[in-house]
């Protein structure tokens, strides 16, 4: 359960965090090299999210622990990357606070709803998946912070996408809260 191939891939996403942070500590490397390496690392480790789910189903190695660890690893990777981007002035602190704050709030809401037996009301929705997809595209663009293939201004597109992700973050949080509110009111009586 703790050391299946899918779970090891999930653990790798968590292990990637200090590695990505360490790239920016390598002051002897120029910033373009650090940006490229951090971008490649983020993309590779983000792709393990798809791969671990696929392998868990294919190898019949799904587990409650894996289902718990997978979103935790994703949130750690996203939050750490956002903090790096804030430190380098590529993401506004308010945008990062919205995204990170929503992750904390919805995780707490899901835990509470599970305790009262109403976890179905806050099950993952397409809006949350869209938010995740947009931020997972925005972050490597912002990490790269340059012109890709001589055509794509990744800073511009990353900024637009991270703003879109923040809007989707708020929208999805409101959606989940609305879905949970009837259950919360019912249990409060």
């Amino acid at each position: 359960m703790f050391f299946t191939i899918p779970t090891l891939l999930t653990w790798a996403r968590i292990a990637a965090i200090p590695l990505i942070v360490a790239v920016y500590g390598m002051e002897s490397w120029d910033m373009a090299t650090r940006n490229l390496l951090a971008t490649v690392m983020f993309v590779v480790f983000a792709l393990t999210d798809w791969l671990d789910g696929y392998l868990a189903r294919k190898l019949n190695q799904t587990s409650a622990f894996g289902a718990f660890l997978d979103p935790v690893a994703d949130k750690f990777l996203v939050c750490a990357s956002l903090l790096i981007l804030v430190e380098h002035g590529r993401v506004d602190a308010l945008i990062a606070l919205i995204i990170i704050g929503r992750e904390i709030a919805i995780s707490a809401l899901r835990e509470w709803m599970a305790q009262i037996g109403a976890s179905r009301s806050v099950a993952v929705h397409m809006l949350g998946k869209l938010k995740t997809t947009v931020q997972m595209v925005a972050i490597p663009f912002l990490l790269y912070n340059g012109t890709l293939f001589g055509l794509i201004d990744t800073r511009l597109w990353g900024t637009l996408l991270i703003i879109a992700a923040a809007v989707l973050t708020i929208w999805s949080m409101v959606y989940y809260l609305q879905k949970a509110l009837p259950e919360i009111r019912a249990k409060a009586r």
Side-chain angles (χ1 to χ4, degrees):
M1 167 167 89
F2 293 108
F3 299 107
T4 63
I5 293 171
T7 306
L8 288 172
L9 287 170
T10 304
W11 283 116
R13 269 201 313 286
I14 295 170
I17 295 164
L19 297 175
I20 294 171
V21 171
V23 164
Y24 284 101
M26 303 301 288
E27 294 181 10
S28 61
W29 299 349
D30 64 54
M31 188 55 81
T33 301
R34 289 185 268 173
N35 289 342
L36 177 60
L37 188 53
T39 302
V40 169
M41 290 171 67
F42 181 89
V43 169
V44 167
F45 286 109
L47 288 174
T48 66
D49 183 29
W50 170 83
L51 184 59
D52 66 23
Y54 171 79
L55 288 174
R57 290 183 296 279
K58 181 91 170 159
L59 301 173
N60 197 27
Q61 293 181 342
T62 58
S63 69
F65 180 73
F68 155 75
L69 190 62
D70 186 67
V72 171
D74 296 342
K75 288 169 183 28
F76 279 163
L77 184 60
V78 166
C79 292
S81 298
L82 285 171
L83 292 174
I84 290 167
L85 292 168
V86 167
E87 182 180 343
H88 290 280
R90 299 177 196 174
V91 169
D92 188 81
L94 180 60
I95 297 287
L97 182 61
I98 288 168
I99 293 170
I100 294 169
R102 181 261 189 210
E103 296 304 339
I104 294 167
I106 296 304
S107 293
L109 178 66
R110 284 193 172 120
E111 181 180 336
W112 186 38
M113 297 305 282
Q115 287 178 357
I116 64 172
S119 57
R120 295 174 107 200
S121 63
V122 288
V124 176
H125 183 265
M126 194 62 192
L127 192 55
K129 290 181 180 186
L130 178 61
K131 178 256 333 162
T132 299
T133 301
V134 172
Q135 73 187 20
M136 294 303 246
V137 173
I139 290 170
F141 274 18
L142 290 165
L143 287 171
Y144 188 76
N145 196 43
T147 304
L148 192 60
F149 309 120
L151 300 170
I152 302 168
D153 181 349
T154 64
R155 183 167 182 121
L156 171 66
W157 283 103
T159 300
L160 294 173
L161 287 168
I162 205 70
I163 291 167
V167 170
L168 289 167
T169 294
I170 294 167
W171 187 7
S172 68
M173 185 170 73
V174 168
Y175 171 82
Y176 289 124
L177 290 172
Q178 285 177 331
K179 296 297 276 184
L181 198 55
E183 297 289 343
I184 293 168
R185 285 185 177 147
K187 295 293 180 184
R189 292 181 189 169

